[in-house]
């Protein structure tokens, strides 16, 4: 793959170095930071295509850092944490992470997830340069610009959120199961995907719906899955 810049943020130097070795072996350029404040500074000075972000760090932790990054950038964020509870994973996804890996992790699996996220991120900028515009009662997706708006107001979506909206809008009216959404968007087998997909659906609703609890566009079909109305 062509060279991309991945920022590894962890207060443990050994973990930063190990991840760096595996990424460099794949031809990926590695930038490093030991906490969130340093990561923000690196982002100001360098083009970064993906961030590997530890949660438990001094000065500025991974949750605070994600909030700060999402104010300006939609680049993929993979959170890394020793915490294994579902609520910790859900919190990470809620604040804007695209994926979540628990320590101890298999470095080869982590590299595979990084490459998968990079493929999707690059796809958003280069894939199918069609000027197709889908308008579903004010919810508009412009594929050439990779842009979503509601009644003329732009909506800031993360790469994963955009791909979910793109999938559902291009197949408006069709119900997709959680597992089908996961496998089409994440491009990997669905395993315990319920919380991951549900959190991203909730975040999308918060961004495109006037009343997320009574959605106009993104509907749940109980026991089956989700759809966007025609």
């Amino acid at each position: 793959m062509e060279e991309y810049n991945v920022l590894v943020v962890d207060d443990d130097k050994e973990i930063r170095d190990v991840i760096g070795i595996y990424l460099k072996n794949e031809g990926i350029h590695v930038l490093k930071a030991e906490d969130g404040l340093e990561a923000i500074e690196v982002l100001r000075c360098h083009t970064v295509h993906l961030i590997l972000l530890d949660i438990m760090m001094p000065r500025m932790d991974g949750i605070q850092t994600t909030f700060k990054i999402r104010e300006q950038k939609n680049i993929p964020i993979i959170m890394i944490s020793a915490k294994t509870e579902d609520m910790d994973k859900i919190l990470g996804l809620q604040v804007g992470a695209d994926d979540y890996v628990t320590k101890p992790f298999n470095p080869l699996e982590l590299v595979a997830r990084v490459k998968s996220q990079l493929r999707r991120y690059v796809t958003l900028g280069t894939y199918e340069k069609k000027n197709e515009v889908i308008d579903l009662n004010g919810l508009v997706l412009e594929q050439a610009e990779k842009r979503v708006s509601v009644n003329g107001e732009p909506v800031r979506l993360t790469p994963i959120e955009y791909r979910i909206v793109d999938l559902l809008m291009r197949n408006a009216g069709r119900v997709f199961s959680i597992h089908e959404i996961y496998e089409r968007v994440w491009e990997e087998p669905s395993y315990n995907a319920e919380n991951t997909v549900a959190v991203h659906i909730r975040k999308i609703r918060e961004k495109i719906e006037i009343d997320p609890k009574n959605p106009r566009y993104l509907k749940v079909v109980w026991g089956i899955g989700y759809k966007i109305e025609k």
Side-chain angles (χ1 to χ4, degrees):
M1 63 196 308
E2 62 182 275
E3 186 171 286
Y4 299 110
N5 295 332
V6 170
L7 173 59
V8 180
V9 189
D10 198 302
D11 59 330
D12 187 323
K13 182 179 184 300
E14 184 177 345
I15 290 178
R16 293 197 306 270
D17 290 345
V18 168
I19 293 174
I21 289 169
Y22 278 88
L23 293 177
K24 288 175 182 176
N25 285 341
E26 296 295 324
I28 297 170
H29 182 251
V30 178
L31 302 165
K32 298 177 184 178
E34 64 181 25
D35 59 43
L37 289 177
E38 190 175 333
I40 298 299
E41 188 59 33
V42 172
L43 285 169
R44 289 195 186 103
C45 302
H46 300 272
T47 298
V48 174
H49 301 100
L50 182 143
I51 303 171
L52 289 168
L53 182 64
D54 187 30
I55 291 183
M56 302 298 292
M57 296 182 294
R59 297 207 298 171
M60 181 184 285
D61 65 23
I63 300 297
Q64 295 172 307
T65 304
T66 301
F67 269 122
K68 193 72 176 173
I69 292 169
R70 285 291 179 243
E71 290 176 1
Q72 299 291 332
K73 298 180 181 293
N74 287 332
I75 57 178
I77 297 174
I78 300 177
M79 281 193 166
I80 303 174
S81 176
K83 296 184 174 183
T84 58
E85 297 296 324
D86 279 349
M87 286 308 299
D88 296 314
K89 180 176 181 179
I90 290 171
L91 177 59
L93 296 171
Q94 282 180 330
V95 298
D98 296 284
D99 203 353
Y100 190 102
V101 175
T102 55
K103 299 176 182 177
F105 52 81
N106 181 329
L108 295 177
E109 179 187 350
L110 182 62
V111 169
R113 287 174 179 264
V114 167
K115 292 170 73 173
S116 177
Q117 288 286 345
L118 285 172
R119 280 197 303 271
R120 285 194 290 270
Y121 181 59
V122 173
T123 291
L124 287 180
T126 61
Y127 131 107
E128 293 181 2
K129 294 288 187 178
K130 300 182 296 185
N131 194 24
E132 183 177 354
V133 176
I134 303 172
D135 187 342
L136 301 175
N137 301 309
L139 176 63
V140 177
L141 183 145
E142 300 171 73
Q143 288 193 323
E145 292 81 11
K146 308 303 176 194
R147 183 166 56 204
V148 174
S149 60
V150 178
N151 297 324
E153 292 295 322
V155 177
R156 288 182 64 90
L157 299 175
T158 68
I160 289 290
E161 290 166 357
Y162 176 86
R163 286 179 66 89
I164 292 172
V165 171
D166 180 70
L167 172 67
L168 297 180
M169 288 189 69
R170 285 191 290 108
N171 298 276
R174 177 184 166 185
V175 180
F176 287 86
S177 71
I178 285 175
H179 298 291
E180 191 172 6
I181 291 172
Y182 188 90
E183 291 182 354
R184 286 194 176 218
V185 171
W186 277 262
E187 298 176 0
E188 61 187 36
S190 172
Y191 177 72
N192 291 334
E194 290 81 1
N195 284 337
T196 299
V197 173
V199 168
H200 285 289
I201 293 290
R202 188 182 315 134
K203 294 295 290 183
I204 292 168
R205 279 179 170 161
E206 290 172 358
K207 295 177 180 182
I208 69 172
E209 303 284 0
I210 295 175
D211 181 2
K213 292 183 178 179
N214 296 287
R216 176 185 180 190
Y217 301 112
L218 211 173
K219 302 291 186 71
V220 62
V221 180
W222 293 106
I224 303 177
Y226 298 96
K227 68 175 180 177
I228 285 183
E229 296 279 26
K230 287 185 176 181

